[in-house]
Amino acid sequence: MAFTFVSGNAFKLKELQEMMGVPVKSINIDLVEIQGEPEEVACAKCRAAQLHVDGPVLIEDSSLCFNALNGMPGVYTKWFVERMGLECLVKILETYRNKAAYAQCIYALSGDNGVVHLFKGVRHGNIVTPRGSTEFGWDSIFEPDGYIQTYAEMTSENKYGISDRSEAFKKLMAHLAQKKYTK
Amino acid sequence: MAFTFVSGNAFKLKELQEMMGVPVKSINIDLVEIQGEPEEVACAKCRAAQLHVDGPVLIEDSSLCFNALNGMPGVYTKWFVERMGLECLVKILETYRNKAAYAQCIYALSGDNGVVHLFKGVRHGNIVTPRGSTEFGWDSIFEPDGYIQTYAEMTSENKYGISDRSEAFKKLMAHLAQKKYTK
């Protein structure tokens, strides 16, 4: 594939490679991210990644948005997980009956002339106390609608069938396939 | 004074001017901020401001850190206030007995050779349901230790006597005064 995936997160690389079914050219860099709307954050991250690579770059940004908090902590979730831990993050919702949330993944691919293409996937679900491996971000506290397992409890195959990341991935692949045939 | 204050927040400018007692040269720009530790955020914001101004620039960044959440939402508080409102932000702590928090203000001043000087003020207190004007950020939900008023309920004079911002301001002034006498 004609891009370099830039990420400091080994799990994001693993999922991308498994979904693609082939090794992905990648660079392990923790990029500085901006504050803002998810699309702005992804776009700026892609431009920052571009500074390290010749040719097209791909980055990914994920959010976990609590409906009761009107979409927060969203793009800032990783800081909450790092600082407070998952148990404490779930506890924030204890006061609220509404445990609904959505997971959102954006792939950002740099194109020609400085254009950045965004591919977004969204999966609705609920916030639950951690179940399954707590290795990958907040997978263990997100239970997608229609399932009794958290992302972390699912097999890779099942998760890739339904996740916000796989939805974003499919849109990215469709874009790349179309580009191939129009060139 | 030999700096330009860069901020999109009229209240921050007002407080700075009132504490200085003289008009301050300023530019009204909403700067993009990065995610990270408060010092990193302030430093990057100062460098971003520098791109708009010839000569030394001053910026300010504030955080509201909930002890029960191990310092969160911190530098991201303004996004929570924008999205959820103050009432809902306070409600996050309903589950916790510990309502303690600290307000932190950092002034960042660009110096010679790309150096950025940071001046930090911290004030401990408690998170309360909004009291007083809700115009300036989260002033109405922060009640400093030893007082029965929130920042928003205090007179300017009282607030400037004890606030995290005034502590940071005094350190900034001491630095500028010293610089003046060593030049």
PDB file of all heavy atoms in Angstrom, chain B residues 92-110:
ATOM      1  N   ILE B  92     -20.375  15.595  37.659  1.00  0.00           N
ATOM      2  CA  ILE B  92     -19.401  14.502  37.519  1.00  0.00           C
ATOM      3  C   ILE B  92     -18.878  14.069  38.887  1.00  0.00           C
ATOM      4  O   ILE B  92     -18.592  12.899  39.118  1.00  0.00           O
ATOM      5  CB  ILE B  92     -18.210  14.968  36.639  1.00  0.00           C
ATOM      6  CG1 ILE B  92     -18.566  14.912  35.170  1.00  0.00           C
ATOM      7  CG2 ILE B  92     -16.989  14.116  36.900  1.00  0.00           C
ATOM      8  CD1 ILE B  92     -17.408  15.294  34.252  1.00  0.00           C
ATOM      9  N   LEU B  93     -18.772  15.036  39.810  1.00  0.00           N
ATOM     10  CA  LEU B  93     -18.198  14.745  41.133  1.00  0.00           C
ATOM     11  C   LEU B  93     -19.233  14.242  42.139  1.00  0.00           C
ATOM     12  O   LEU B  93     -18.884  13.962  43.290  1.00  0.00           O
ATOM     13  CB  LEU B  93     -17.507  15.994  41.694  1.00  0.00           C
ATOM     14  CG  LEU B  93     -16.139  16.352  41.127  1.00  0.00           C
ATOM     15  CD1 LEU B  93     -15.559  17.522  41.890  1.00  0.00           C
ATOM     16  CD2 LEU B  93     -15.168  15.172  41.182  1.00  0.00           C
ATOM     17  N   GLU B  94     -20.494  14.140  41.710  1.00  0.00           N
ATOM     18  CA  GLU B  94     -21.565  13.776  42.653  1.00  0.00           C
ATOM     19  C   GLU B  94     -21.266  12.458  43.369  1.00  0.00           C
ATOM     20  O   GLU B  94     -21.548  12.307  44.557  1.00  0.00           O
ATOM     21  CB  GLU B  94     -22.900  13.701  41.907  1.00  0.00           C
ATOM     22  CG  GLU B  94     -24.082  14.193  42.738  1.00  0.00           C
ATOM     23  CD  GLU B  94     -25.331  14.383  41.878  1.00  0.00           C
ATOM     24  OE1 GLU B  94     -26.082  13.411  41.708  1.00  0.00           O
ATOM     25  OE2 GLU B  94     -25.524  15.495  41.382  1.00  0.00           O
ATOM     26  N   THR B  95     -20.679  11.527  42.654  1.00  0.00           N
ATOM     27  CA  THR B  95     -20.362  10.213  43.232  1.00  0.00           C
ATOM     28  C   THR B  95     -19.252  10.301  44.272  1.00  0.00           C
ATOM     29  O   THR B  95     -19.094   9.401  45.094  1.00  0.00           O
ATOM     30  CB  THR B  95     -19.835   9.268  42.119  1.00  0.00           C
ATOM     31  OG1 THR B  95     -20.455   9.605  40.890  1.00  0.00           O
ATOM     32  CG2 THR B  95     -20.089   7.826  42.482  1.00  0.00           C
ATOM     33  N   TYR B  96     -18.449  11.326  44.211  1.00  0.00           N
ATOM     34  CA  TYR B  96     -17.257  11.411  45.055  1.00  0.00           C
ATOM     35  C   TYR B  96     -17.485  12.309  46.264  1.00  0.00           C
ATOM     36  O   TYR B  96     -18.071  13.391  46.132  1.00  0.00           O
ATOM     37  CB  TYR B  96     -16.078  11.982  44.248  1.00  0.00           C
ATOM     38  CG  TYR B  96     -15.679  11.145  43.063  1.00  0.00           C
ATOM     39  CD1 TYR B  96     -16.278  11.332  41.819  1.00  0.00           C
ATOM     40  CD2 TYR B  96     -14.718  10.145  43.183  1.00  0.00           C
ATOM     41  CE1 TYR B  96     -15.922  10.558  40.726  1.00  0.00           C
ATOM     42  CE2 TYR B  96     -14.354   9.376  42.085  1.00  0.00           C
ATOM     43  CZ  TYR B  96     -14.964   9.587  40.866  1.00  0.00           C
ATOM     44  OH  TYR B  96     -14.606   8.822  39.786  1.00  0.00           O
ATOM     45  N   ARG B  97     -17.013  11.868  47.420  1.00  0.00           N
ATOM     46  CA  ARG B  97     -17.051  12.727  48.612  1.00  0.00           C
ATOM     47  C   ARG B  97     -16.049  13.858  48.469  1.00  0.00           C
ATOM     48  O   ARG B  97     -16.248  14.951  48.969  1.00  0.00           O
ATOM     49  CB  ARG B  97     -16.650  11.918  49.857  1.00  0.00           C
ATOM     50  CG  ARG B  97     -17.801  11.108  50.393  1.00  0.00           C
ATOM     51  CD  ARG B  97     -17.488  10.667  51.817  1.00  0.00           C
ATOM     52  NE  ARG B  97     -18.450   9.676  52.237  1.00  0.00           N
ATOM     53  CZ  ARG B  97     -18.392   9.028  53.363  1.00  0.00           C
ATOM     54  NH1 ARG B  97     -17.388   9.249  54.207  1.00  0.00           N
ATOM     55  NH2 ARG B  97     -19.307   8.152  53.677  1.00  0.00           N
ATOM     56  N   ASN B  98     -14.945  13.553  47.822  1.00  0.00           N
ATOM     57  CA  ASN B  98     -13.856  14.504  47.680  1.00  0.00           C
ATOM     58  C   ASN B  98     -14.164  15.533  46.591  1.00  0.00           C
ATOM     59  O   ASN B  98     -14.100  15.235  45.403  1.00  0.00           O
ATOM     60  CB  ASN B  98     -12.579  13.718  47.337  1.00  0.00           C
ATOM     61  CG  ASN B  98     -11.353  14.594  47.280  1.00  0.00           C
ATOM     62  OD1 ASN B  98     -11.425  15.812  47.481  1.00  0.00           O
ATOM     63  ND2 ASN B  98     -10.211  13.987  46.997  1.00  0.00           N
ATOM     64  N   LYS B  99     -14.481  16.744  47.011  1.00  0.00           N
ATOM     65  CA  LYS B  99     -14.796  17.813  46.046  1.00  0.00           C
ATOM     66  C   LYS B  99     -13.594  18.750  45.853  1.00  0.00           C
ATOM     67  O   LYS B  99     -13.716  19.803  45.219  1.00  0.00           O
ATOM     68  CB  LYS B  99     -15.982  18.651  46.541  1.00  0.00           C
ATOM     69  CG  LYS B  99     -17.197  17.858  46.988  1.00  0.00           C
ATOM     70  CD  LYS B  99     -17.874  17.153  45.838  1.00  0.00           C
ATOM     71  CE  LYS B  99     -19.168  16.486  46.318  1.00  0.00           C
ATOM     72  NZ  LYS B  99     -19.702  15.534  45.333  1.00  0.00           N
ATOM     73  N   ALA B 100     -12.460  18.375  46.435  1.00  0.00           N
ATOM     74  CA  ALA B 100     -11.275  19.240  46.369  1.00  0.00           C
ATOM     75  C   ALA B 100     -10.770  19.366  44.934  1.00  0.00           C
ATOM     76  O   ALA B 100     -10.891  18.442  44.116  1.00  0.00           O
ATOM     77  CB  ALA B 100     -10.172  18.674  47.258  1.00  0.00           C
ATOM     78  N   ALA B 101     -10.228  20.514  44.641  1.00  0.00           N
ATOM     79  CA  ALA B 101      -9.692  20.788  43.309  1.00  0.00           C
ATOM     80  C   ALA B 101      -8.638  21.873  43.437  1.00  0.00           C
ATOM     81  O   ALA B 101      -8.561  22.544  44.464  1.00  0.00           O
ATOM     82  CB  ALA B 101     -10.796  21.262  42.380  1.00  0.00           C
ATOM     83  N   TYR B 102      -7.827  22.018  42.411  1.00  0.00           N
ATOM     84  CA  TYR B 102      -6.958  23.190  42.391  1.00  0.00           C
ATOM     85  C   TYR B 102      -7.032  23.884  41.028  1.00  0.00           C
ATOM     86  O   TYR B 102      -7.203  23.244  39.992  1.00  0.00           O
ATOM     87  CB  TYR B 102      -5.508  22.862  42.781  1.00  0.00           C
ATOM     88  CG  TYR B 102      -4.799  21.862  41.914  1.00  0.00           C
ATOM     89  CD1 TYR B 102      -4.002  22.282  40.843  1.00  0.00           C
ATOM     90  CD2 TYR B 102      -4.887  20.503  42.164  1.00  0.00           C
ATOM     91  CE1 TYR B 102      -3.326  21.370  40.046  1.00  0.00           C
ATOM     92  CE2 TYR B 102      -4.223  19.588  41.367  1.00  0.00           C
ATOM     93  CZ  TYR B 102      -3.453  20.023  40.315  1.00  0.00           C
ATOM     94  OH  TYR B 102      -2.805  19.112  39.526  1.00  0.00           O
ATOM     95  N   ALA B 103      -6.973  25.204  41.128  1.00  0.00           N
ATOM     96  CA  ALA B 103      -6.966  26.032  39.931  1.00  0.00           C
ATOM     97  C   ALA B 103      -5.505  26.375  39.656  1.00  0.00           C
ATOM     98  O   ALA B 103      -4.755  26.707  40.581  1.00  0.00           O
ATOM     99  CB  ALA B 103      -7.765  27.300  40.164  1.00  0.00           C
ATOM    100  N   GLN B 104      -5.114  26.252  38.428  1.00  0.00           N
ATOM    101  CA  GLN B 104      -3.711  26.518  38.074  1.00  0.00           C
ATOM    102  C   GLN B 104      -3.635  27.436  36.865  1.00  0.00           C
ATOM    103  O   GLN B 104      -4.312  27.212  35.867  1.00  0.00           O
ATOM    104  CB  GLN B 104      -2.993  25.207  37.775  1.00  0.00           C
ATOM    105  CG  GLN B 104      -1.526  25.398  37.409  1.00  0.00           C
ATOM    106  CD  GLN B 104      -0.789  24.070  37.285  1.00  0.00           C
ATOM    107  OE1 GLN B 104      -0.484  23.413  38.271  1.00  0.00           O
ATOM    108  NE2 GLN B 104      -0.528  23.661  36.067  1.00  0.00           N
ATOM    109  N   CYS B 105      -2.819  28.451  36.976  1.00  0.00           N
ATOM    110  CA  CYS B 105      -2.636  29.397  35.878  1.00  0.00           C
ATOM    111  C   CYS B 105      -1.154  29.436  35.512  1.00  0.00           C
ATOM    112  O   CYS B 105      -0.294  29.481  36.397  1.00  0.00           O
ATOM    113  CB  CYS B 105      -3.101  30.783  36.322  1.00  0.00           C
ATOM    114  SG  CYS B 105      -2.780  32.061  35.096  1.00  0.00           S
ATOM    115  N   ILE B 106      -0.870  29.391  34.245  1.00  0.00           N
ATOM    116  CA  ILE B 106       0.512  29.539  33.785  1.00  0.00           C
ATOM    117  C   ILE B 106       0.594  30.687  32.791  1.00  0.00           C
ATOM    118  O   ILE B 106      -0.146  30.713  31.802  1.00  0.00           O
ATOM    119  CB  ILE B 106       1.038  28.249  33.107  1.00  0.00           C
ATOM    120  CG1 ILE B 106       1.012  27.070  34.081  1.00  0.00           C
ATOM    121  CG2 ILE B 106       2.455  28.450  32.569  1.00  0.00           C
ATOM    122  CD1 ILE B 106       1.511  25.756  33.483  1.00  0.00           C
ATOM    123  N   TYR B 107       1.451  31.658  33.072  1.00  0.00           N
ATOM    124  CA  TYR B 107       1.817  32.652  32.078  1.00  0.00           C
ATOM    125  C   TYR B 107       3.084  32.151  31.393  1.00  0.00           C
ATOM    126  O   TYR B 107       4.012  31.674  32.071  1.00  0.00           O
ATOM    127  CB  TYR B 107       2.103  34.014  32.728  1.00  0.00           C
ATOM    128  CG  TYR B 107       0.868  34.830  33.029  1.00  0.00           C
ATOM    129  CD1 TYR B 107       0.484  35.094  34.339  1.00  0.00           C
ATOM    130  CD2 TYR B 107       0.087  35.343  31.996  1.00  0.00           C
ATOM    131  CE1 TYR B 107      -0.664  35.850  34.612  1.00  0.00           C
ATOM    132  CE2 TYR B 107      -1.049  36.103  32.261  1.00  0.00           C
ATOM    133  CZ  TYR B 107      -1.421  36.346  33.565  1.00  0.00           C
ATOM    134  OH  TYR B 107      -2.547  37.085  33.817  1.00  0.00           O
ATOM    135  N   ALA B 108       3.118  32.265  30.073  1.00  0.00           N
ATOM    136  CA  ALA B 108       4.316  31.879  29.320  1.00  0.00           C
ATOM    137  C   ALA B 108       4.792  33.087  28.513  1.00  0.00           C
ATOM    138  O   ALA B 108       4.023  33.678  27.749  1.00  0.00           O
ATOM    139  CB  ALA B 108       4.020  30.711  28.390  1.00  0.00           C
ATOM    140  N   LEU B 109       6.034  33.442  28.726  1.00  0.00           N
ATOM    141  CA  LEU B 109       6.627  34.617  28.093  1.00  0.00           C
ATOM    142  C   LEU B 109       7.797  34.179  27.228  1.00  0.00           C
ATOM    143  O   LEU B 109       8.682  33.445  27.692  1.00  0.00           O
ATOM    144  CB  LEU B 109       7.138  35.567  29.190  1.00  0.00           C
ATOM    145  CG  LEU B 109       7.844  36.850  28.741  1.00  0.00           C
ATOM    146  CD1 LEU B 109       6.843  37.857  28.186  1.00  0.00           C
ATOM    147  CD2 LEU B 109       8.611  37.468  29.918  1.00  0.00           C
ATOM    148  N   SER B 110       7.791  34.635  25.975  1.00  0.00           N
ATOM    149  CA  SER B 110       8.909  34.254  25.107  1.00  0.00           C
ATOM    150  C   SER B 110      10.097  35.169  25.393  1.00  0.00           C
ATOM    151  O   SER B 110       9.945  36.379  25.559  1.00  0.00           O
ATOM    152  CB  SER B 110       8.501  34.342  23.637  1.00  0.00           C
ATOM    153  OG  SER B 110       8.242  35.670  23.260  1.00  0.00           O
TER     154      SER B 110
END
